[in-house]
């Protein structure tokens, strides 16, 4: 199962591409993510409530059950004696989820009561969804940190691989979801029906696609490197580092250096081409991109691989001394 887990990334990419392409320029992918689950639930409960009678009572029961899920999880943890201090945040999640979901159900009432008027209800759905997800994300992050702090060597390998998979899932979401959606929206802002500007529009759109492709290429390389690191972690044994592990570590280190170099070259080529076609572009963007996060990830991976190489060297020296 672990061997094929990364195939889920391909499924994720296909779903994101379909959503962006079918949604067109009117789709706001980032907003849809923050509204996910809670907005459809709120709309469903609102329609159910409008039916009145038993349907309204049933809507209230569902509302209370959904908002009580974190509390139920907390009670189960207490009964099983698995309670930790950070589990207290489950109460906070319920306390935020209840009013947020209530306002989503009664969205027009909330809009009318706000000091700052909201022109679109969609923005409010997004804000309320972000409030709920931010607390959930904080709780999950604290739980992950605790698991890492208490884990032994073998457990750490498993946890680290899981974290790397989540990082890859986020990179796929960004590449084929958020960034692709931004590209589609940008392309839709330029009308194709103006014949006298057709050539310039084509060039401008080509540069927008090129800018998107630059980011995606780097992200795909990083995803590939992370998959290689996952394979390395599965094979690594600090008590007996094999030659295969050493070769993989060296290869990964070279790929990390190459990624940073490729990013720099792509930026130079893009800006150079913009300068050549600058008179025919409707939008010019001087890309001075310093991908701090990607650089940090590459440096961390390089340090990790260097640690493996140093550990192998020290072990060989100790063996010779003995």
């Amino acid at each position: 199962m672990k061997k094929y887990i990364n195939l889920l990334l391909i499924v994720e990419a296909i779903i994101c591409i379909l959503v962006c392409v079918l949604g067109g320029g009117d789709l706001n992918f980032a907003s849809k993510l923050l509204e996910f689950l809670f907005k459809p639930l709120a709309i469903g409960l609102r329609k159910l409530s409008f039916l009145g009678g038993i349907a309204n009572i049933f809507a209230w029961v569902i509302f209370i059950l959904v908002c009580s899920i974190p509390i139920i999880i907390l009670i189960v943890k207490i009964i099983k004696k698995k309670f930790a201090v950070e589990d207290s945040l489950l109460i906070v999640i319920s306390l935020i989820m209840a009013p947020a979901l209530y306002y989503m159900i009664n969205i027009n009432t909330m809009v009318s009561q706000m000091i700052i008027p909201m022109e679109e209800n969609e923005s409010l759905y997004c804000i309320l969804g972000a409030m709920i997800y931010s607390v959930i994300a904080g709780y999950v992050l604290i739980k992950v940190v605790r698991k890492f702090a208490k884990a032994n060597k073998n457990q750490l390998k498993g946890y680290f691989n899981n974290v790397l998979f989540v990082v890859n899932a986020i990179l796929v979401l960004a590449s084929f979801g958020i960034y692709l959606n931004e590209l589609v929206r940008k392309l839709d802002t330029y009308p194709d029906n103006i014949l006298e500007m057709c050539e310039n529009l084509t060039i401008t759109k080509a540069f927008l696609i090129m800018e998107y492709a630059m980011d995606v290429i780097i992200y795909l390389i990083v995803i590939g490197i992370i998959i290689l690191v996952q394979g390395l972690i599965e094979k690594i044994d600090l008590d007996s580092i094999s030659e295969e592990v050493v070769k993989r570590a060296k290869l990964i280190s070279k790929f990390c250096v190459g990624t940073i170099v490729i990013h720099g070259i792509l930026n130079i080529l893009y800006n150079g081409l913009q300068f050549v076609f600058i008179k025919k572009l409707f939008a010019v963007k001087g890309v001075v991109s310093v991908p701090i996060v990607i650089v940090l990830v590459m440096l961390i991976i390089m340090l990790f691989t260097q640690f493996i190489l140093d550990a192998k060297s020290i072990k060989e020296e100790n063996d010779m001394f003995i």
Side-chain angles (χ1 to χ4, degrees):
M1 183 64 182
K2 287 183 179 179
K3 190 180 291 185
Y4 300 104
I5 191 71
N6 283 313
L7 290 176
L8 291 174
L9 298 174
I10 298 174
V11 176
E12 180 191 2
I14 293 170
I15 292 171
C16 288
I17 291 169
L18 288 174
V19 170
C20 290
V21 172
L22 296 176
D26 295 329
L27 174 72
N28 189 325
F29 193 90
S31 294
K32 293 298 178 185
L33 276 179
L34 294 173
E35 296 168 0
F36 181 65
L37 289 180
F38 293 108
K39 180 183 175 182
L41 176 62
I43 293 172
L45 290 177
R46 184 191 309 150
K47 290 180 179 179
L48 193 61
S49 179
F50 284 160
L51 295 175
I54 296 175
N56 184 44
I57 295 172
F58 190 52
W60 273 104
V61 170
I62 295 173
F63 171 79
I64 293 169
L65 283 175
V66 169
C67 295
S68 300
I69 288 173
I71 301 293
I72 294 169
I73 294 171
L74 177 63
I75 293 170
V76 171
K77 282 180 172 291
I78 293 172
I79 292 171
K80 291 186 175 182
K81 297 181 180 179
K82 293 183 178 180
F83 175 80
V85 176
E86 63 272 14
D87 290 325
S88 302
L89 285 173
L90 290 166
I91 300 173
V92 179
I93 294 173
S94 278
L95 290 175
I96 289 179
M97 189 187 296
L101 185 57
Y102 177 81
Y103 282 128
M104 281 185 179
I105 296 169
N106 302 280
I107 198 79
N108 292 324
T109 303
M110 184 177 182
V111 170
S112 64
Q113 292 176 352
M114 292 183 70
I115 298 174
I116 302 174
M118 301 284 288
E119 294 181 0
E120 297 181 1
N121 290 351
E122 293 296 323
S123 300
L124 202 50
Y125 280 119
C126 181
I127 293 167
L128 292 170
M131 289 179 181
I132 300 171
Y133 281 122
S134 63
V135 183
I136 294 173
Y139 170 69
V140 172
L141 183 61
I142 295 171
K143 291 296 288 185
V144 169
V145 171
R146 178 180 283 275
K147 281 187 175 291
F148 267 86
K150 290 188 171 184
N152 57 39
K153 185 171 65 176
N154 290 328
Q155 287 175 326
L156 275 175
K157 287 169 63 175
Y159 293 156
F160 192 34
N161 260 339
N162 291 337
V163 169
L164 290 176
F165 175 78
V166 172
V167 171
N168 268 352
I170 292 170
L171 291 175
V172 168
L173 186 67
S175 300
F176 301 106
I178 296 171
Y179 292 161
L180 180 58
N181 176 237
E182 286 181 5
L183 173 64
V184 172
R185 291 173 65 135
K186 286 178 182 177
L187 293 176
D188 279 1
T189 58
Y190 296 99
D192 289 323
N193 57 351
I194 307 176
L195 296 178
E196 63 270 20
M197 296 198 300
C198 186
E199 181 186 355
N200 293 349
L201 280 170
T202 302
I203 295 172
T204 299
K205 289 184 177 183
F207 270 86
L208 289 173
I209 295 169
M210 199 185 308
E211 182 187 340
Y212 165 73
M214 281 171 47
D215 291 329
V216 172
I217 287 170
I218 296 301
Y219 281 166
L220 288 177
I221 294 172
V222 174
I223 289 169
I225 291 172
I226 289 175
I227 290 173
L228 289 175
V229 172
Q230 287 176 312
L232 180 65
I233 292 170
E234 287 292 327
K235 291 183 176 293
I236 195 171
D237 183 359
L238 295 178
D239 297 327
S240 178
I241 299 175
S242 65
E243 288 298 326
E244 183 186 356
V245 169
V246 172
K247 287 179 182 178
R248 286 196 180 202
K250 288 180 179 178
L251 183 65
I252 290 169
S253 185
K254 288 178 181 178
F255 281 156
C256 289
V257 174
T259 302
I260 297 171
V261 172
I262 289 170
H263 185 274
I265 291 171
L266 287 175
N267 275 327
I268 292 169
L269 290 174
Y270 180 79
N271 284 318
L273 284 171
Q274 271 199 132
F275 184 75
V276 173
F277 291 94
I278 195 166
K279 293 181 181 179
K280 295 187 176 182
L281 293 174
F282 285 105
V284 179
K285 181 179 179 182
V287 179
V288 187
S289 178
V290 183
I292 300 297
V293 175
I294 290 178
V295 170
L296 284 174
V297 170
M298 294 297 99
L299 289 175
I300 290 169
I301 293 174
M302 287 170 69
L303 284 170
F304 172 68
T305 55
Q306 189 59 48
F307 168 75
I308 293 171
L309 297 175
D310 289 345
K312 174 70 172 174
S313 178
I314 291 169
K315 188 177 185 305
E316 288 176 347
E317 288 179 7
N318 290 337
D319 290 342
M320 289 176 64
F321 177 76
I322 293 169

